[in-house]
Amino acid sequence: MHDQHAASELPSVRRQKILLILERDGKVMASELSQHFAVSEDTIRRDLSELASAGLVQRVHGGALPRPKDTGKDFFTRVGETDEVKTRLAQLAARRVQDGQIVLFDSGSTTLQIARSLPAEISITAITASPMIAIALADYKGIKVILAGGQLNPATMSASGQETLRLIEGIKADLLFTGVCAIHPDVGISSLHFDEVPVKQAMLDSASHVVAVTMADKLGAVEPFVVAPCNRINTLITEQQVASGNVEDYRRLGIEVVQVDA
């Protein structure tokens, strides 16, 4: 069934829809997309070229495939890796938590490290959709843990769906530690997993102050599914040495950038 308004869509919207079709079908063909969106094959080929240039698809003759999966690591691989810089970033972030606060913990190995780095006597209410983070927080006597249920994504070890959203949308948190797959000053915060997007957006809407903690390789990167503009983040904690991009791009957006020496 064709999109009735496809011809008038912005290219960025059409490309997001192409990514959704690719995730669903495992491949896309320019001829079929041309019919689906009621645009020329040349237009679709330009779309696929732009997506390939951004590293979001793999171009093949006549269409595109998902980019190779070995570019990422599963949750348990990332958790099992010891990284001194990531530990220091997490420890710095954990110092921002104050007694009596309501704190949202997004999914991710870095966010899990923040949970493990909290002061032993801290007294807060913590909300998360990640069972792994909930278990880590349960070790603290002074932390009341609320776990948002839903369908578990084995790749992220985090819940999503209407049950998850209902709980998060009913909370007014003081602080959010958001997980970051990629962050680009122009594109914004983006994710590799489509089902994460509404959960992350709900967390951003529910928090008074948002802290993103990320290694430098996530800066300037782009993943297929956009979550929100960069200016939804209040504080960005990252490494001193940044290989790609410029942290000043984020400061110009009004974000407090804190860099940690290796």
Side-chain angles (χ1 to χ4, degrees):
M1 182 175 177
H2 293 186
D3 262 17
Q4 296 300 315
H5 306 287
S8 62
E9 283 180 342
L10 292 172
S12 59
V13 174
R14 188 174 59 248
R15 289 165 192 167
Q16 286 290 315
K17 291 184 178 181
I18 290 173
L19 290 172
L20 288 174
I21 294 170
L22 181 59
E23 183 180 67
R24 183 192 68 195
D25 297 345
K27 67 175 181 178
V28 290
M29 301 301 294
S31 58
E32 295 174 359
L33 292 174
S34 172
Q35 293 179 11
H36 180 82
F37 291 107
V39 295
S40 70
E41 287 193 36
D42 283 343
T43 297
I44 294 298
R45 280 192 282 269
R46 284 194 294 272
D47 287 338
L48 296 179
S49 294
E50 288 291 332
L51 292 170
S53 297
L56 302 179
V57 304
Q58 178 182 348
R59 287 285 273 124
V60 295
H61 180 69
L65 296 172
R67 67 180 188 173
K69 294 295 184 182
D70 61 1
T71 56
K73 300 174 182 177
D74 64 40
F75 182 85
F76 290 104
T77 299
R78 288 181 281 121
V79 168
E81 292 175 340
T82 56
D83 189 297
E84 183 179 345
V85 175
K86 182 183 285 190
T87 300
R88 292 185 63 187
L89 293 174
Q91 290 171 343
L92 181 60
R95 292 187 200 130
R96 293 182 172 247
V97 180
Q98 300 177 15
D99 279 331
Q101 286 186 322
I102 298 174
V103 184
L104 277 164
F105 289 82
D106 196 1
S107 60
S109 59
T110 302
T111 317
L112 175 59
Q113 190 63 48
I114 295 171
R116 291 171 172 170
S117 301
L118 292 170
E121 302 305 319
I122 197 76
S123 178
I124 62 172
T125 297
I127 301 98
T128 184
S130 166
M132 295 285 290
I133 293 175
I135 291 169
L137 293 168
D139 282 340
Y140 294 84
K141 293 182 179 179
I143 297 183
K144 177 182 179 181
V145 182
I146 299 174
L147 176 61
Q151 182 174 340
L152 188 69
N153 183 337
T156 62
M157 289 304 294
S158 183
S160 63
Q162 288 303 312
E163 295 88 351
T164 311
L165 291 175
R166 255 195 305 271
L167 189 146
I168 293 169
E169 288 169 352
I171 290 168
K172 294 300 179 187
D174 300 293
L175 184 63
L176 163 64
F177 291 113
T178 185
V180 176
C181 291
I183 178 170
H184 189 284
D186 298 322
V187 177
I189 310 159
S190 55
S191 174
L192 182 61
H193 303 281
F194 178 65
D195 61 347
E196 279 192 330
V197 173
V199 176
K200 289 180 179 292
Q201 289 172 337
M203 287 187 170
L204 289 168
D205 290 341
S206 297
S208 297
H209 191 92
V210 179
V211 178
V213 183
T214 182
M215 303 292 282
D217 60 353
K218 306 290 181 67
L219 301 179
V222 177
E223 293 292 0
F225 304 109
V226 177
V227 176
C230 285
N231 60 13
R232 296 299 303 276
I233 293 172
N234 301 107
T235 302
L236 174 64
I237 300 177
T238 190
E239 300 174 71
Q240 187 69 41
Q241 300 299 323
V242 177
S244 62
N246 187 339
V247 294
E248 293 304 320
D249 292 335
Y250 302 95
R251 288 193 172 105
R252 279 192 284 271
L253 294 171
I255 301 170
E256 175 196 15
V257 180
V258 180
Q259 293 177 271
V260 177
D261 289 325

